[in-house]
Structures are given as structure tokens and as C-alpha cells.
Amino acid sequence: MSTREKNLRIRAALAVAAVTGLGATALTALPAAAAGEAVTVQYRQSATGADQVEPWFKVVNSGASSVPLSQVKLRYYFKADAGASYTYACSWAVKGCANLTGTFGTLANPTATADRYLEVGFTAGAGSLAPGADTGDMQLRFHRSNWQPLNQNDDYSFGPTQTTYANWSKVTATVGGVQVWGTAPAGNEPTPTPTDPTTPPPTGGPALFDDFDYTGHTDPAIAAHGWSVRSNSGGPGVPGATWAPENVTFAKEGTNSIMNLRTSTAGTAESTRMTEILTRSMKFRNGTYAARVRFSDAPLSGPDGDRLVQTFFTINDLKAPMADDYAEYDFEYLPNGGWGEPANILYTTSWETYRPDPWEAVNQHSEVRASYAGWHDLVLTIDDNTIVYYVDGQEFGRHDARYLPERPMSINFNQWLIDLAGQTSTTARSYDQKVDYVLHVKDQVLTPAQVAAKVAAYRTSGTAFEDSVPAV
């Protein structure tokens, strides 16, 4: 996380590309999915009013083989209102709202009726669909985050006369990243998710790997390996809080060494201790970034409710307000909400630039409103065209080329409090964020499976640390 205040950042408007063409949408041939896999999307609208969109869906297995719903994603396309951010919700679903996810994305090629989309996915708990079966009702909705009026009439996927379920080709569906249903707005066909190759992961090339096998925050190997444990004051978070290097500790859990970042407070700025560790060198740019991180929803003891941010990210410095060579790529978990969110949410955000005063941001983000307590494999890949985020082997967000980095960055982990308003008690409490390892492979895009294989190879060989990434 950067050293600036970001309390309003998710409310900031995303940069939206200008509409460049108004051509009619044409049907295109769909690539083949796995043998026998096909789904049909049925849609009805439940609200034509001006405060929220209510797209309701059923997914029907129209193929010859069972389809795991965790491999299915739907996209509902709409035209964003100027300066608006949006909030997703599930009102009711036969499969259970907890087994549905909703994230927002920005189209690479905006049209007159679409520059954003709501992508609906399923967790493993949703199960599979047998041939001929359907999901039953999925009663979804989304609205402007500030509940200002919105206009559905210029939305590509909106069907004002669709008051009963029927097949709807203006919503697309993919199975395993392959489009099997519907027609996207012109030039915006869903990008296939890469499948794990059968070939082994690359073994050569510059890389950073750290198993975090240290004795404590004063271990001289930490600095020798290029890390800095933060002690200087400043943002983000609670003004006047302390960044406490002694709260970064290391211990064995099973056969692995684990780094622990502890953040504690007794409800005052003076009692608040936050934690951060970062590489001193900014030498990381394109390639693959990965870490295994344990997020926590509850404090170790004391009252819950603090507006906490647990992170893994890359960043460089902002040389001037709205400087176009700034870059930042975040995994940020808020276990108790914050930034206007009432409950737990995981964000991935790609930054082009920002201005701190008056606040203005240019970024793209994806989010899922669900608990992510526990261990998670986080992977970020950056090449010359795309930024892709993965959580536990599944694509979480895919962001546009306009947010690609122009300069190298550092690699960071931190845990901090947005403010003290979420929990005003003066009873002491503390929260832990754990990190198992970090990996960066320069200029190579690895799949999550290849990341796991590369980490396993380091550990099998007994390599706890490597840094062959050249300085810049």
C-alpha cells in the first residue's frame, strides 16, 4: 500500500475511454468448449426504476455432459453513469447467495451502450449442473455506490420487456474461460482464461524467492536480502499511529517458516501499531508475482470491528500529481469493511495515477464481497498487454493495457487500520496477517499451477532465498 491516504479511493471514478464506434453488433462464431459442455443463459429484469438494476438469471446446462458451476462465468454489460462506482448484491438464489460472486470490470473497447460489465461467478459450493438441469433463480442486483439515480435504458444487456425468463443472448457465458453463449458488445468478446499447460514451469531466468526463514525483525539477513522493515511515520491509515518493526515476527509452522505481521490498537492513535515490510529496491516490473497469504477476519482477542486492510502489492513513487509513470497493483482484504463497504471484501486494483489533493484517481478494480479468512494463493501477472489477478488458482480480475507499469516497482506487504471509527472501544486487540513465501519471476507469465510447481522446486532443493533479478 502506498504512503498516502486512500480512504476515498474506491469511490473515485475509473477512467473511461471515449466511445470510438457505434457499429451494430454482429453474431460471431464461438470457439469450441470442452466436449459436450454448453450452457444457455435465461434472463428477466425485475426493476425498470432509477435506483438499481435487477438482472435475474438462470443457467441451463444445454450440453451433453455435467458442468462444474465453478467454471462458469456470466457477463451483463452496461453503460456506466459518469463518475459512478457500483455495488453488487444477491437478494436470493436457489444455489445460495454465498455460492455466487459478483465483480465489475471495464471494457477494453467501449461502445455506445456498454463500457462496464458485471461478471457473475460461482464458488465450488454451487456444485455441478447435470445435462438439462438449471441453477434455478439467481435474483441479483447492483446500484450506484452512493445510491444516486441511474439510467438502464442505454445498457446493452438490459431488456425492459423481459419480465419472464427467456433465453437472452445479450448476456455472455463462458465455461473454463471459453465463450459458449451470447454476443458481447462489438470488440469485447470475453478473453479466454489460460488453462494450465502440461509442460513443466520455466526453470531459468531472473527470479526473487523468499521463504521468510529469519530469526526476527533484527536478523541481518533481512537487510542483506533486500528487505526493509518499516519504522518511519506517515500514512496510510490512522494519523499518529506507529509503524512497529518489532511486530514483524517469524516462526515455524510445520516445515515452513512463516512471517507474521501484527497490527494492534486500544482505540487511540497513540496505542495503534501497524506493520509493513518492503523491498528497498524498485526493480520489479513485468512478469509474475505470487505469495501465499493468510488473511484473518477476527482479532486474536478483544472486540472485533476495526477497519483493517491486509495486503500484498507492488508500487513505485508518485513523482508529481497525476504523473503518468506511476504504478501500483494491489491485493487488499478488508475483513470488516471500510471505504463505504459494510462488511468483508477483497479488492484487486491496478493504478495508472492519482492526485492527492483534491483527490482524483485513475484505476481499475475487481472485488468480491465475501470472507477470505484463511490461507490463499495470490498470483499477479503483468505482460505487455494485460494485468491478471488470480486467487486460489481462479482468475479474479483482468485489467486493461492502459494500467500497465512504465517504471519498475517494489514488492510490499502491510497491515494497517483505515481509521478508528469501526470499533471505538479502548480495550486492546490485535490482528495477524501471515505470509508463507513470495515469488517474482521476471518477464515470464506463469499460471498458478506453474507458480506452485516452482515454489515446490525451491523447497525440494532446500533453497530458502534467491534473488537473481538485476538492479535497474
Side-chain angles (χ1 to χ4, degrees), residues 308-330:
L308 190 71
V309 186
Q310 300 174 330
T311 76
F312 165 46
F313 63 102
T314 71
I315 192 172
N316 60 29
D317 54 326
L318 182 74
K319 294 185 177 296
M322 302 303 285
D324 62 5
D325 62 349
Y326 175 74
E328 180 181 350
Y329 306 94
D330 301 327

Side-chain angles (χ1 to χ4, degrees), residues 244-424:
E246 66 274 12
N247 281 8
V248 178
T249 59
F250 304 86
K252 290 287 186 181
E253 290 192 5
T255 59
N256 293 340
S257 177
I258 302 297
M259 178 171 66
N260 191 76
L261 282 68
R262 178 162 295 176
T263 291
S264 59
T265 189
T268 65
E270 295 75 17
S271 67
T272 300
R273 301 288 186 272
M274 306 188 295
T275 47
E276 181 167 19
I277 185 169
L278 64 154
T279 61
R280 295 196 308 274
S281 176
M282 291 187 185
K283 62 178 183 178
F284 309 99
R285 189 173 172 182
N286 286 14
T288 299
Y289 300 82
R292 183 164 173 79
V293 178
R294 186 183 187 277
F295 298 128
S296 57
D297 279 352
L300 300 177
S301 62
D304 196 1
D306 291 291
R307 293 170 180 167
L308 190 71
V309 186
Q310 300 174 330
T311 76
F312 165 46
F313 63 102
T314 71
I315 192 172
N316 60 29
D317 54 326
L318 182 74
K319 294 185 177 296
M322 302 303 285
D324 62 5
D325 62 349
Y326 175 74
E328 180 181 350
Y329 306 94
D330 301 327
F331 288 92
E332 294 172 310
Y333 180 54
L334 282 61
N336 292 314
W339 297 324
E341 292 291 334
N344 37 29
I345 185 169
L346 177 64
Y347 287 109
T348 60
T349 309
S350 301
W351 288 78
E352 169 61 19
T353 189
Y354 73 99
R355 178 174 56 210
D357 187 20
W359 180 256
E360 182 178 358
V362 182
N363 64 28
Q364 183 176 3
H365 72 272
S366 303
E367 72 279 337
V368 170
R369 292 168 177 82
S371 172
Y372 279 84
W375 284 104
H376 297 283
D377 295 303
L378 311 179
V379 176
L380 160 68
T381 65
I382 303 173
D383 60 19
D384 290 333
N385 301 297
T386 311
I387 304 147
V388 185
Y389 297 85
Y390 299 90
V391 177
D392 298 329
Q394 298 296 311
E395 185 176 316
F396 186 95
R398 181 177 292 264
H399 297 168
D400 303 340
R402 75 189 82 172
Y403 304 101
L404 292 171
E406 290 87 4
R407 290 190 289 120
M409 303 167 288
S410 62
I411 297 175
N412 306 52
F413 298 90
N414 66 13
Q415 184 181 219
W416 54 283
L417 291 171
I418 297 173
D419 53 38
L420 297 172
Q423 173 53 262
T424 58

